Amino acid sequence: MDRTLPPGFESQMLSYGWPHAQTLLTALRSTAPSLAVRANPAKGARPARGADLVPWESLGCYLAERPLFAADPAWHQGRYYVQDASSMALGHAVRTVVERYFPGRADLRYLDACAAPGGKTIAAIDALPAGSYVVANEADRHRANILAENIAKHGAPAVAVTRGGAERFARLPETFDIIAADVPCSGEGMMRKDDEAVAQWSPALVADCAALQLSIVRELWCALKPGGVLIYSTCTFNRSENEDNIARIATEFGAESIPLGLDNFPGVLTGIDTPMHCYRFTPGFVRGEGLFIAALRKPGEFTAKSRPTKGDKRKKDDADAFAAKYLTDSHKYTLFNRQAIEAVPTAHAEVARSIADKLDALHIGLPIATLKGRELVPTHELALSTALLPGSLPTFNLTYPEAIAYLRGEALAQVPDDLPRGYALPCFGARPLGLVKNIGRRANNLYPDILRLRLDPKTLQQIQMPLSL
């Protein structure tokens, strides 16, 4: 393999006098990316014993070859997420910030401002203490839908998904304890696996991205509580989008650069010629793509203001009865009637209402039901949620071919004789795949059409049991 890199990019990297530049350039030209996945412990998944673990993420492991993930029911269940190993560092960063600056807190509010497709959001969810509330935002409407799908697979209930530019978060001053900004960048870290990243690169693009990144942080800064932490990341190698922007942000806002301890892991490099705590995941040194990450703490200390919490009274009685039937600890949630009945932890209901009022929110919590005629119908998101009350819906297990048929949207021609009529959970490996409605001798498939598996049947016939965690 001998990949051609933009000459301007090569000269840019060599101009820094960085001793690691030549190793990086050689790796970008000649090596292939490593494949990794991250297990979801909330759904009982862990890397297998003896797995090739990612050093900075105990839930992550490298794969020797790429299986057909779409043909693995466990992937559709959210038991694991396919993610570049370098990107998994976000989870370590969040854990470090929580332990150092928010010990003992169980009510943190976290914003992922540039979240799609959702891997870093999911890593943050697993790193935050129970009781936290996460807002995952994406500016692009199509990518926001993909983000919502991946959040639903993961199954965490206390997550809002919004779409729109970062400037909208100025409407939520001093709301978040931690803000992650994986800002749009020139994509130098993708050059090994994306020809477009090579083709589009130019010094002008780098300059434009650096300016855009700074403007995004300026918009987000007011939404960060005093004493809160901004985690800034890119997938680039140049200084303008990385160390220089961190220095500009720190100077402009009087922010403190804080350590994340990532340089304790093999191959992780520190920043180029900077006193700031900056970390570089660099091909040639780590088995992952390019990632730059740093964290800044906002001056001051946050003082909470007590305000009454308001829910949504529409359909309150019916919705409460539904929640009590299907949600674990339903008394800890406030319900909102939007396009669906959504459950939000009561501790965060006030901010959820502000998000609904001031932002373009796909959802502000866990969608648990939609109204069909006079009936409240359980949602696909509820079926995959870790908040679903065990035993609230009957379950039955599918074989691998049956699971694939279900994911393709096919009706289940045979169901167990003792399966009650009504809504039920078809499972694979004792974990739900979604919903069906049993009407007697067969069950209608309620798997969302947009998610249905569209692999060629001949391809599926050639597949043996794929990877499962």
Side-chain angles (χ1 to χ4, degrees), residues 116-173:
K120 291 186 177 71
T121 307
I122 289 168
I125 291 169
D126 290 343
L128 289 164
S132 299
Y133 182 65
V134 172
V135 178
N137 179 73
E138 173 57 41
D140 182 271
R141 296 179 73 85
H142 174 68
R143 284 169 55 83
N145 291 331
I146 295 171
L147 170 64
E149 291 167 10
N150 286 327
I151 295 297
K153 284 181 185 177
H154 181 263
V159 185
V161 176
T162 63
R163 56 193 178 191
E167 71 279 357
R168 298 188 178 197
F169 286 92
R171 304 170 187 176
L172 299 173

Side-chain angles (χ1 to χ4, degrees), residues 374-452:
R374 296 183 179 181
E375 179 187 15
L376 285 173
V377 177
T379 63
H380 177 71
E381 292 88 348
L382 176 64
L384 295 188
S385 174
T386 57
L388 178 66
L389 182 65
S392 58
L393 285 164
T395 64
F396 62 104
N397 286 314
L398 302 178
T399 65
Y400 177 68
E402 289 172 336
I404 292 298
Y406 172 77
L407 293 169
R408 285 173 51 82
E410 298 173 19
L412 299 182
Q414 293 182 333
V415 295
D417 292 338
D418 59 351
L419 186 71
R421 289 182 178 240
Y423 299 103
L425 299 172
C427 297
F428 182 78
R431 295 279 172 178
L433 280 167
L435 286 163
V436 297
K437 188 171 185 180
N438 181 25
I439 58 173
R441 293 188 176 183
R442 67 181 179 89
N444 291 337
N445 192 324
L446 301 182
Y447 198 67
D449 182 69
I450 195 170
L451 301 179
R452 290 180 178 179

Side-chain angles (χ1 to χ4, degrees), residues 168-181:
R168 298 188 178 197
F169 286 92
R171 304 170 187 176
L172 299 173
E174 297 186 359
T175 296
F176 299 99
D177 299 283
I178 305 171
I179 295 178

Side-chain angles (χ1 to χ4, degrees), residues 94-110:
V94 172
R95 283 191 294 272
T96 301
V97 167
V98 170
E99 290 169 4
R100 185 169 297 160
Y101 299 105
F102 305 103
R105 287 278 301 277
D107 60 346
L108 295 180
R109 292 172 183 167
Y110 179 97

